[in-house]
PDB file of all heavy atoms in Angstrom:
ATOM      1  N   LYS A 470      86.508  -5.213  78.891  1.00 96.00           N
ATOM      2  CA  LYS A 470      85.324  -5.296  78.037  1.00 96.00           C
ATOM      3  C   LYS A 470      85.446  -4.238  76.950  1.00 96.00           C
ATOM      4  O   LYS A 470      85.596  -3.059  77.214  1.00 96.00           O
ATOM      5  CB  LYS A 470      84.055  -5.038  78.859  1.00 96.00           C
ATOM      6  CG  LYS A 470      82.782  -4.996  78.029  1.00 96.00           C
ATOM      7  CD  LYS A 470      81.601  -4.604  78.892  1.00 96.00           C
ATOM      8  CE  LYS A 470      80.342  -4.416  78.050  1.00 96.00           C
ATOM      9  NZ  LYS A 470      79.202  -3.894  78.865  1.00 96.00           N
ATOM     10  N   GLU A 471      85.380  -4.685  75.700  1.00 95.00           N
ATOM     11  CA  GLU A 471      85.496  -3.766  74.580  1.00 95.00           C
ATOM     12  C   GLU A 471      84.230  -2.948  74.416  1.00 95.00           C
ATOM     13  O   GLU A 471      83.117  -3.430  74.642  1.00 95.00           O
ATOM     14  CB  GLU A 471      85.788  -4.529  73.298  1.00 95.00           C
ATOM     15  CG  GLU A 471      87.109  -5.287  73.305  1.00 95.00           C
ATOM     16  CD  GLU A 471      87.382  -5.947  71.958  1.00 95.00           C
ATOM     17  OE1 GLU A 471      86.704  -5.607  70.969  1.00 95.00           O
ATOM     18  OE2 GLU A 471      88.275  -6.814  71.919  1.00 95.00           O
ATOM     19  N   GLY A 472      84.405  -1.703  74.005  1.00 94.00           N
ATOM     20  CA  GLY A 472      83.246  -0.880  73.698  1.00 94.00           C
ATOM     21  C   GLY A 472      82.702  -1.224  72.314  1.00 94.00           C
ATOM     22  O   GLY A 472      83.432  -1.636  71.422  1.00 94.00           O
ATOM     23  N   SER A 473      81.402  -1.071  72.161  1.00 93.00           N
ATOM     24  CA  SER A 473      80.775  -1.213  70.849  1.00 93.00           C
ATOM     25  C   SER A 473      80.220   0.154  70.459  1.00 93.00           C
ATOM     26  O   SER A 473      80.383   1.133  71.178  1.00 93.00           O
ATOM     27  CB  SER A 473      79.635  -2.250  70.902  1.00 93.00           C
ATOM     28  OG  SER A 473      78.600  -1.814  71.765  1.00 93.00           O
ATOM     29  N   GLU A 474      79.591   0.248  69.319  1.00 92.00           N
ATOM     30  CA  GLU A 474      79.107   1.557  68.868  1.00 92.00           C
ATOM     31  C   GLU A 474      78.185   2.224  69.892  1.00 92.00           C
ATOM     32  O   GLU A 474      78.262   3.424  70.126  1.00 92.00           O
ATOM     33  CB  GLU A 474      78.373   1.421  67.549  1.00 92.00           C
ATOM     34  CG  GLU A 474      77.903   2.751  66.980  1.00 92.00           C
ATOM     35  CD  GLU A 474      77.216   2.617  65.635  1.00 92.00           C
ATOM     36  OE1 GLU A 474      77.264   1.526  65.031  1.00 92.00           O
ATOM     37  OE2 GLU A 474      76.616   3.619  65.175  1.00 92.00           O
ATOM     38  N   LYS A 475      77.346   1.411  70.538  1.00 90.00           N
ATOM     39  CA  LYS A 475      76.345   1.967  71.454  1.00 90.00           C
ATOM     40  C   LYS A 475      76.610   1.672  72.924  1.00 90.00           C
ATOM     41  O   LYS A 475      76.042   2.307  73.799  1.00 90.00           O
ATOM     42  CB  LYS A 475      74.959   1.430  71.075  1.00 90.00           C
ATOM     43  CG  LYS A 475      74.503   1.795  69.685  1.00 90.00           C
ATOM     44  CD  LYS A 475      74.337   3.307  69.524  1.00 90.00           C
ATOM     45  CE  LYS A 475      73.802   3.669  68.140  1.00 90.00           C
ATOM     46  NZ  LYS A 475      73.687   5.138  67.954  1.00 90.00           N
ATOM     47  N   LYS A 476      77.457   0.689  73.224  1.00 91.00           N
ATOM     48  CA  LYS A 476      77.687   0.286  74.606  1.00 91.00           C
ATOM     49  C   LYS A 476      79.123   0.580  75.027  1.00 91.00           C
ATOM     50  O   LYS A 476      80.059   0.332  74.272  1.00 91.00           O
ATOM     51  CB  LYS A 476      77.376  -1.200  74.807  1.00 91.00           C
ATOM     52  CG  LYS A 476      75.891  -1.521  74.694  1.00 91.00           C
ATOM     53  CD  LYS A 476      75.622  -2.974  75.054  1.00 91.00           C
ATOM     54  CE  LYS A 476      74.125  -3.273  75.002  1.00 91.00           C
ATOM     55  NZ  LYS A 476      73.842  -4.687  75.382  1.00 91.00           N
ATOM     56  N   ALA A 477      79.260   1.089  76.258  1.00 90.00           N
ATOM     57  CA  ALA A 477      80.577   1.472  76.736  1.00 90.00           C
ATOM     58  C   ALA A 477      81.435   0.250  77.063  1.00 90.00           C
ATOM     59  O   ALA A 477      80.924  -0.784  77.510  1.00 90.00           O
ATOM     60  CB  ALA A 477      80.453   2.349  77.978  1.00 90.00           C
ATOM     61  N   GLY A 478      82.730   0.394  76.864  1.00 95.00           N
ATOM     62  CA  GLY A 478      83.672  -0.584  77.349  1.00 95.00           C
ATOM     63  C   GLY A 478      84.107  -0.199  78.762  1.00 95.00           C
ATOM     64  O   GLY A 478      83.647   0.778  79.338  1.00 95.00           O
ATOM     65  N   THR A 479      84.995  -0.974  79.327  1.00 96.00           N
ATOM     66  CA  THR A 479      85.534  -0.644  80.651  1.00 96.00           C
ATOM     67  C   THR A 479      86.600   0.438  80.523  1.00 96.00           C
ATOM     68  O   THR A 479      87.171   0.648  79.447  1.00 96.00           O
ATOM     69  CB  THR A 479      86.132  -1.897  81.310  1.00 96.00           C
ATOM     70  OG1 THR A 479      86.974  -2.574  80.364  1.00 96.00           O
ATOM     71  CG2 THR A 479      85.038  -2.860  81.758  1.00 96.00           C
ATOM     72  N   PRO A 480      86.875   1.171  81.611  1.00 96.00           N
ATOM     73  CA  PRO A 480      87.865   2.256  81.522  1.00 96.00           C
ATOM     74  C   PRO A 480      89.200   1.817  80.964  1.00 96.00           C
ATOM     75  O   PRO A 480      89.815   2.535  80.159  1.00 96.00           O
ATOM     76  CB  PRO A 480      87.996   2.720  82.975  1.00 96.00           C
ATOM     77  CG  PRO A 480      86.708   2.352  83.614  1.00 96.00           C
ATOM     78  CD  PRO A 480      86.275   1.084  82.958  1.00 96.00           C
ATOM     79  N   GLY A 481      89.665   0.636  81.377  1.00 97.00           N
ATOM     80  CA  GLY A 481      90.965   0.163  80.920  1.00 97.00           C
ATOM     81  C   GLY A 481      91.041  -0.036  79.424  1.00 97.00           C
ATOM     82  O   GLY A 481      92.118   0.108  78.835  1.00 97.00           O
ATOM     83  N   TRP A 482      89.929  -0.370  78.808  1.00 97.00           N
ATOM     84  CA  TRP A 482      89.935  -0.567  77.354  1.00 97.00           C
ATOM     85  C   TRP A 482      90.239   0.755  76.644  1.00 97.00           C
ATOM     86  O   TRP A 482      91.042   0.804  75.714  1.00 97.00           O
ATOM     87  CB  TRP A 482      88.592  -1.137  76.880  1.00 97.00           C
ATOM     88  CG  TRP A 482      88.617  -1.610  75.457  1.00 97.00           C
ATOM     89  CD1 TRP A 482      89.283  -2.685  74.957  1.00 97.00           C
ATOM     90  CD2 TRP A 482      87.995  -0.968  74.341  1.00 97.00           C
ATOM     91  NE1 TRP A 482      89.090  -2.776  73.591  1.00 97.00           N
ATOM     92  CE2 TRP A 482      88.309  -1.729  73.192  1.00 97.00           C
ATOM     93  CE3 TRP A 482      87.193   0.169  74.209  1.00 97.00           C
ATOM     94  CZ2 TRP A 482      87.838  -1.390  71.919  1.00 97.00           C
ATOM     95  CZ3 TRP A 482      86.719   0.497  72.936  1.00 97.00           C
ATOM     96  CH2 TRP A 482      87.044  -0.270  71.817  1.00 97.00           C
ATOM     97  N   TYR A 483      89.628   1.819  77.121  1.00 98.00           N
ATOM     98  CA  TYR A 483      89.890   3.142  76.537  1.00 98.00           C
ATOM     99  C   TYR A 483      91.307   3.628  76.883  1.00 98.00           C
ATOM    100  O   TYR A 483      91.971   4.253  76.066  1.00 98.00           O
ATOM    101  CB  TYR A 483      88.851   4.142  77.027  1.00 98.00           C
ATOM    102  CG  TYR A 483      87.445   3.796  76.630  1.00 98.00           C
ATOM    103  CD1 TYR A 483      86.469   3.533  77.593  1.00 98.00           C
ATOM    104  CD2 TYR A 483      87.079   3.702  75.283  1.00 98.00           C
ATOM    105  CE1 TYR A 483      85.168   3.194  77.216  1.00 98.00           C
ATOM    106  CE2 TYR A 483      85.784   3.364  74.900  1.00 98.00           C
ATOM    107  CZ  TYR A 483      84.836   3.110  75.882  1.00 98.00           C
ATOM    108  OH  TYR A 483      83.553   2.775  75.511  1.00 98.00           O
ATOM    109  N   ASN A 484      91.752   3.336  78.098  1.00 98.00           N
ATOM    110  CA  ASN A 484      93.121   3.708  78.479  1.00 98.00           C
ATOM    111  C   ASN A 484      94.138   3.059  77.542  1.00 98.00           C
ATOM    112  O   ASN A 484      95.111   3.689  77.116  1.00 98.00           O
ATOM    113  CB  ASN A 484      93.417   3.274  79.908  1.00 98.00           C
ATOM    114  CG  ASN A 484      92.578   4.000  80.939  1.00 98.00           C
ATOM    115  OD1 ASN A 484      92.009   5.039  80.686  1.00 98.00           O
ATOM    116  ND2 ASN A 484      92.485   3.421  82.134  1.00 98.00           N
ATOM    117  N   ASN A 485      93.913   1.785  77.241  1.00 98.00           N
ATOM    118  CA  ASN A 485      94.822   1.066  76.352  1.00 98.00           C
ATOM    119  C   ASN A 485      94.832   1.668  74.949  1.00 98.00           C
ATOM    120  O   ASN A 485      95.891   1.797  74.306  1.00 98.00           O
ATOM    121  CB  ASN A 485      94.439  -0.415  76.270  1.00 98.00           C
ATOM    122  CG  ASN A 485      94.803  -1.186  77.529  1.00 98.00           C
ATOM    123  OD1 ASN A 485      95.656  -0.772  78.304  1.00 98.00           O
ATOM    124  ND2 ASN A 485      94.153  -2.314  77.739  1.00 98.00           N
ATOM    125  N   LEU A 486      93.648   2.049  74.447  1.00 98.00           N
ATOM    126  CA  LEU A 486      93.588   2.682  73.137  1.00 98.00           C
ATOM    127  C   LEU A 486      94.395   3.970  73.114  1.00 98.00           C
ATOM    128  O   LEU A 486      95.147   4.244  72.165  1.00 98.00           O
ATOM    129  CB  LEU A 486      92.121   2.988  72.776  1.00 98.00           C
ATOM    130  CG  LEU A 486      91.194   1.829  72.410  1.00 98.00           C
ATOM    131  CD1 LEU A 486      89.804   2.362  72.085  1.00 98.00           C
ATOM    132  CD2 LEU A 486      91.740   1.023  71.240  1.00 98.00           C
ATOM    133  N   ALA A 487      94.239   4.766  74.183  1.00 98.00           N
ATOM    134  CA  ALA A 487      94.966   6.038  74.255  1.00 98.00           C
ATOM    135  C   ALA A 487      96.468   5.816  74.354  1.00 98.00           C
ATOM    136  O   ALA A 487      97.264   6.531  73.735  1.00 98.00           O
ATOM    137  CB  ALA A 487      94.472   6.866  75.443  1.00 98.00           C
ATOM    138  N   PHE A 488      96.865   4.823  75.157  1.00 98.00           N
ATOM    139  CA  PHE A 488      98.290   4.528  75.301  1.00 98.00           C
ATOM    140  C   PHE A 488      98.887   4.102  73.962  1.00 98.00           C
ATOM    141  O   PHE A 488      99.944   4.611  73.544  1.00 98.00           O
ATOM    142  CB  PHE A 488      98.515   3.415  76.338  1.00 98.00           C
ATOM    143  CG  PHE A 488      99.948   2.992  76.423  1.00 98.00           C
ATOM    144  CD1 PHE A 488     100.823   3.630  77.267  1.00 98.00           C
ATOM    145  CD2 PHE A 488     100.425   1.965  75.588  1.00 98.00           C
ATOM    146  CE1 PHE A 488     102.173   3.256  77.307  1.00 98.00           C
ATOM    147  CE2 PHE A 488     101.768   1.593  75.643  1.00 98.00           C
ATOM    148  CZ  PHE A 488     102.633   2.252  76.493  1.00 98.00           C
ATOM    149  N   ASP A 489      98.250   3.138  73.310  1.00 98.00           N
ATOM    150  CA  ASP A 489      98.800   2.638  72.038  1.00 98.00           C
ATOM    151  C   ASP A 489      98.859   3.733  70.977  1.00 98.00           C
ATOM    152  O   ASP A 489      99.806   3.779  70.187  1.00 98.00           O
ATOM    153  CB  ASP A 489      97.949   1.458  71.543  1.00 98.00           C
ATOM    154  CG  ASP A 489      98.222   0.168  72.302  1.00 98.00           C
ATOM    155  OD1 ASP A 489      99.358  -0.021  72.776  1.00 98.00           O
ATOM    156  OD2 ASP A 489      97.298  -0.657  72.425  1.00 98.00           O
ATOM    157  N   ARG A 490      97.871   4.603  70.968  1.00 98.00           N
ATOM    158  CA  ARG A 490      97.868   5.722  70.019  1.00 98.00           C
ATOM    159  C   ARG A 490      99.065   6.633  70.262  1.00 98.00           C
ATOM    160  O   ARG A 490      99.762   7.038  69.315  1.00 98.00           O
ATOM    161  CB  ARG A 490      96.560   6.490  70.126  1.00 98.00           C
ATOM    162  CG  ARG A 490      96.453   7.656  69.145  1.00 98.00           C
ATOM    163  CD  ARG A 490      95.077   8.297  69.193  1.00 98.00           C
ATOM    164  NE  ARG A 490      94.799   8.990  70.448  1.00 98.00           N
ATOM    165  CZ  ARG A 490      93.646   9.592  70.730  1.00 98.00           C
ATOM    166  NH1 ARG A 490      92.648   9.548  69.851  1.00 98.00           N
ATOM    167  NH2 ARG A 490      93.482  10.202  71.889  1.00 98.00           N
ATOM    168  N   ALA A 491      99.318   6.930  71.531  1.00 98.00           N
ATOM    169  CA  ALA A 491     100.440   7.821  71.868  1.00 98.00           C
ATOM    170  C   ALA A 491     101.790   7.156  71.596  1.00 98.00           C
ATOM    171  O   ALA A 491     102.728   7.805  71.131  1.00 98.00           O
ATOM    172  CB  ALA A 491     100.343   8.248  73.331  1.00 98.00           C
ATOM    173  N   ALA A 492     101.888   5.861  71.906  1.00 98.00           N
ATOM    174  CA  ALA A 492     103.145   5.149  71.646  1.00 98.00           C
ATOM    175  C   ALA A 492     103.445   5.081  70.161  1.00 98.00           C
ATOM    176  O   ALA A 492     104.601   5.277  69.722  1.00 98.00           O
ATOM    177  CB  ALA A 492     103.071   3.738  72.240  1.00 98.00           C
ATOM    178  N   LYS A 493     102.412   4.839  69.354  1.00 98.00           N
ATOM    179  CA  LYS A 493     102.599   4.796  67.914  1.00 98.00           C
ATOM    180  C   LYS A 493     103.074   6.140  67.394  1.00 98.00           C
ATOM    181  O   LYS A 493     103.972   6.233  66.558  1.00 98.00           O
ATOM    182  CB  LYS A 493     101.285   4.395  67.233  1.00 98.00           C
ATOM    183  CG  LYS A 493     101.385   4.282  65.721  1.00 98.00           C
ATOM    184  CD  LYS A 493     100.054   3.826  65.108  1.00 98.00           C
ATOM    185  CE  LYS A 493     100.174   3.697  63.601  1.00 98.00           C
ATOM    186  NZ  LYS A 493      98.886   3.253  62.980  1.00 98.00           N
ATOM    187  N   LYS A 494     102.463   7.225  67.889  1.00 98.00           N
ATOM    188  CA  LYS A 494     102.852   8.567  67.481  1.00 98.00           C
ATOM    189  C   LYS A 494     104.298   8.861  67.844  1.00 98.00           C
ATOM    190  O   LYS A 494     105.018   9.546  67.110  1.00 98.00           O
ATOM    191  CB  LYS A 494     101.927   9.597  68.134  1.00 98.00           C
ATOM    192  CG  LYS A 494     102.187  11.029  67.708  1.00 98.00           C
ATOM    193  CD  LYS A 494     101.199  11.997  68.362  1.00 98.00           C
ATOM    194  CE  LYS A 494     101.489  13.436  67.944  1.00 98.00           C
ATOM    195  NZ  LYS A 494     100.528  14.387  68.571  1.00 98.00           N
ATOM    196  N   ALA A 495     104.732   8.322  68.985  1.00 97.00           N
ATOM    197  CA  ALA A 495     106.120   8.531  69.444  1.00 97.00           C
ATOM    198  C   ALA A 495     107.102   7.577  68.782  1.00 97.00           C
ATOM    199  O   ALA A 495     108.317   7.708  68.986  1.00 97.00           O
ATOM    200  CB  ALA A 495     106.194   8.371  70.962  1.00 97.00           C
ATOM    201  N   GLY A 496     106.597   6.621  68.019  1.00 97.00           N
ATOM    202  CA  GLY A 496     107.471   5.667  67.344  1.00 97.00           C
ATOM    203  C   GLY A 496     108.068   4.622  68.273  1.00 97.00           C
ATOM    204  O   GLY A 496     109.123   4.052  67.988  1.00 97.00           O
ATOM    205  N   ILE A 497     107.376   4.337  69.392  1.00 98.00           N
ATOM    206  CA  ILE A 497     107.868   3.359  70.362  1.00 98.00           C
ATOM    207  C   ILE A 497     106.993   2.111  70.274  1.00 98.00           C
ATOM    208  O   ILE A 497     105.764   2.212  70.422  1.00 98.00           O
ATOM    209  CB  ILE A 497     107.835   3.932  71.789  1.00 98.00           C
ATOM    210  CG1 ILE A 497     108.666   5.226  71.859  1.00 98.00           C
ATOM    211  CG2 ILE A 497     108.363   2.910  72.794  1.00 98.00           C
ATOM    212  CD1 ILE A 497     108.565   5.949  73.177  1.00 98.00           C
ATOM    213  N   PRO A 498     107.575   0.947  70.036  1.00 98.00           N
ATOM    214  CA  PRO A 498     106.774  -0.266  69.852  1.00 98.00           C
ATOM    215  C   PRO A 498     105.907  -0.607  71.062  1.00 98.00           C
ATOM    216  O   PRO A 498     106.375  -0.528  72.204  1.00 98.00           O
ATOM    217  CB  PRO A 498     107.829  -1.365  69.631  1.00 98.00           C
ATOM    218  CG  PRO A 498     109.034  -0.634  69.137  1.00 98.00           C
ATOM    219  CD  PRO A 498     109.015   0.686  69.857  1.00 98.00           C
TER     220      PRO A 498
END
Side-chain angles (χ1 to χ4, degrees):
K470 176 186 174 186
E471 297 184 14
S473 64
E474 183 178 349
K475 299 296 184 183
K476 291 187 177 181
T479 47
W482 191 70
Y483 298 118
N484 295 341
N485 287 339
L486 288 180
F488 174 89
D489 284 330
R490 182 174 68 182
K493 182 178 181 180
K494 183 178 179 180
I497 303 174

